[in-house]
Amino acid sequence: ILTSCYLHIIIDLFTRGRGLMLFWPLTTTRFHAPLTAFRGVPWSDSLTNPRYLQMLFEDSCFAVIVIILVAVMRKIQSRYSS
């Protein structure tokens, strides 16, 4: 669960938008990554809008990449622990 929380923070950092308050409540400054990998949720669009569907596609691709990386890491770990 903790990994999911950290991954969510990293995803928010690379999402186009207002930025992320990394050090709240110490400061309300919002930080942005130099490159954005995600469009963010188009809140004002309907669920069938192409921008919303594109965002779902991009997020799904990211999830698949994470799942593949975890599977590869587990395989490598099991190879060295045997």
Side-chain angles (χ1 to χ4, degrees):
I1 294 175
L2 191 58
T3 303
S4 298
C5 292
Y6 289 134
L7 188 58
H8 185 92
I9 292 170
I10 292 170
I11 289 171
D12 282 352
L13 191 62
F14 285 94
T15 300
R16 185 181 313 152
R18 299 180 303 166
L20 183 65
M21 288 193 279
L22 285 174
F23 303 109
W24 182 89
L26 302 175
T27 178
T28 57
T29 303
R30 293 181 178 268
F31 296 89
H32 303 270
L35 301 171
T36 56
F38 304 98
R39 294 183 184 276
V41 178
W43 294 108
S44 60
D45 295 342
S46 69
L47 294 177
T48 57
N49 187 296
R51 289 185 344 166
Y52 191 84
L53 297 174
Q54 183 178 8
M55 186 256 335
L56 286 176
F57 176 74
E58 291 171 355
D59 290 356
S60 298
C61 289
F62 179 76
V64 167
I65 290 170
V66 169
I67 290 168
I68 290 170
L69 287 174
V70 168
V72 167
M73 288 172 43
R74 284 185 177 176
K75 190 170 188 168
I76 290 171
Q77 183 181 18
S78 69
R79 185 178 298 166
Y80 286 110
S81 65
S82 299

